[in-house]
Amino acid sequence: MTFEAVQIAFIFGFVVVGVLVLYGLAAAFGAFTRPSAAAEPEPSLLDRVEAIRPPRNQLVRVDRGFDSMVRGTMFGLTTNRAVELLLIVGALVGISAFLATGSEIAALAGFVLGVFVLLLLMYAFQNRWRAALQEQLPDACFQLSRCLRAGLTVPGGLKETAEYSGEPVADVFRKGARWADAGMPVPDVMARLADEVRLTDFDTLTAVLTLQTEVGGNLPAMLDRLAGAIRDRNQYRGYFRAVTSLSRTTAIFIALAGPIGAILLAIFQPQFFKNLYETQLGWLLIAIASTLEIIGVVWVVVLLSRRNRF
């Protein structure tokens, strides 16, 4: 393969990576897409029962997990759009690999790598939905307490709180109200929501509502105290994130410095890379470096995602 073709392939790959980075940054700041404002049709009773029913097999469990991850990114993507984006990115990276090497195996590896990188990006941003829910939960608890003081039942309070709250907490409470209207007991509704939300403070809210259902008590007062405790923890979490922001930024720049530097050198000073892509040993070194880089990025993403679990 000629040197000019290699340069074109590297430039094409650099453009693809740039598009992905810009997409991630725009989605992170909420500037890429927004969910459609059109009203969704009211789900049928069969749809409600299917949503409540536990997964029948592992395939359904994986499907629900992917839906949850896509929704958690808050990129404004539906599940079908996310699958289409994965296929497009994988195809672009696979074409770049084929242009650079002329090998079908390299094209297949590039396709897998492109899909994997985008999945890694979604996995890294999947906690944005939980973070937004965590910030809105204290106000939702205060609103639910006021609804109960006004004489509403717990399902009615959930529905009324959803009307006065923003997304995503409104969607969670609205879903719980629908399940309660379908005949599901309040403790089971909250337990099902807690399994879906996976927030420690929401588990506490579930325990409070379940305990009041079983033994009684002053539920509005308990909700007020719980909302105050959640708000205090949110303030401490914000302080912790501000103190450790420099360390997170440093880890991200270190992870990106190697690949970006290699691409720039390959484009503007190709003599440094001649021996790498012209010999079998060079390609072996590139494979080893790429593998170690991927392991490092995965490790950083896992550490940050664990820190972001609420």
Side-chain angles (χ1 to χ4, degrees):
M1 192 169 187
T2 63
F3 172 72
E4 289 78 9
V6 173
Q7 276 191 319
I8 293 174
F10 271 119
I11 294 175
F12 184 73
F14 186 73
V15 171
V16 171
V17 173
V19 170
L20 289 177
V21 172
L22 290 177
Y23 177 86
L25 291 176
F29 289 99
F32 181 72
T33 54
R34 293 291 188 274
S36 176
E40 296 182 358
E42 186 69 20
S44 63
L45 181 60
L46 182 61
D47 294 333
R48 296 180 183 182
V49 173
E50 186 65 26
I52 298 173
R53 181 182 300 170
R56 296 187 299 272
N57 50 52
Q58 191 64 28
L59 184 62
V60 177
R61 189 183 304 274
V62 172
D63 184 57
R64 290 186 180 180
F66 183 75
D67 291 342
S68 176
M69 183 178 69
V70 173
R71 180 192 60 185
T73 60
M74 297 185 72
F75 285 175
L77 293 173
T78 63
T79 304
N80 293 335
R81 290 286 300 276
V83 173
E84 293 171 0
L85 186 62
L86 287 172
L87 295 177
I88 291 173
V89 171
L92 289 176
V93 178
I95 292 172
S96 301
F98 182 78
L99 291 176
T101 62
S103 171
E104 291 81 3
I105 297 178
L108 179 61
F111 176 82
V112 174
L113 180 62
V115 172
F116 174 77
V117 170
L118 189 55
L119 280 176
L120 196 63
L121 181 65
M122 292 181 179
Y123 179 81
F125 282 97
Q126 69 173 339
N127 283 320
R128 296 179 70 221
W129 184 84
R130 293 191 185 94
L133 180 61
Q134 178 73 29
E135 292 296 327
Q136 297 172 354
L137 193 57
D139 294 333
C141 290
F142 279 127
Q143 179 64 30
L144 180 59
S145 173
R146 289 190 288 267
C147 293
L148 296 178
R149 284 193 174 95
L152 295 178
T153 62
V154 173
L158 292 176
K159 185 182 300 183
E160 193 69 18
T161 302
E163 295 298 326
Y164 287 94
S165 302
E167 298 295 339
V169 70
D171 179 64
V172 174
F173 278 33
R174 194 179 298 115
K175 186 183 298 183
R178 287 202 304 264
W179 291 351
D181 291 341
M184 194 174 184
V186 172
D188 294 341
V189 168
M190 297 306 298
R192 182 73 175 84
L193 290 175
D195 290 338
E196 181 177 332
V197 171
R198 290 181 294 169
L199 282 177
T200 302
D201 289 326
F202 198 91
D203 292 341
T204 307
L205 174 62
T206 300
V208 168
L209 293 178
T210 303
L211 183 64
Q212 195 275 339
T213 303
E214 294 176 354
V215 301
N218 190 350
L219 183 57
M222 289 189 291
L223 289 175
D224 287 339
R225 294 176 183 175
L226 176 62
I230 296 174
R231 180 166 293 173
D232 291 340
R233 281 194 289 272
N234 287 347
Q235 291 177 351
Y236 174 77
R237 187 177 290 112
Y239 171 76
F240 176 79
R241 288 178 60 85
V243 171
T244 59
S245 59
L246 182 60
S247 299
R248 296 196 307 273
T249 304
T250 303
I252 293 174
F253 272 96
I254 290 177
L256 295 178
I260 294 178
I263 292 174
L264 292 177
L265 285 175
I267 295 175
F268 298 106
Q269 295 184 354
Q271 62 272 16
F272 290 103
F273 280 80
K274 236 179 180 182
N275 293 330
L276 289 177
Y277 57 75
E278 289 183 352
T279 62
Q280 185 175 3
L281 179 60
W283 281 110
L284 178 61
L285 294 176
I286 291 176
I288 294 175
S290 301
T291 302
L292 294 177
E293 179 69 23
I294 291 174
I295 292 174
V297 171
V298 170
W299 178 244
V300 170
V301 169
V302 169
L303 290 179
L304 293 180
S305 64
R306 287 184 180 275
R307 181 194 50 76
N308 285 331
R309 289 178 183 173
F310 299 97

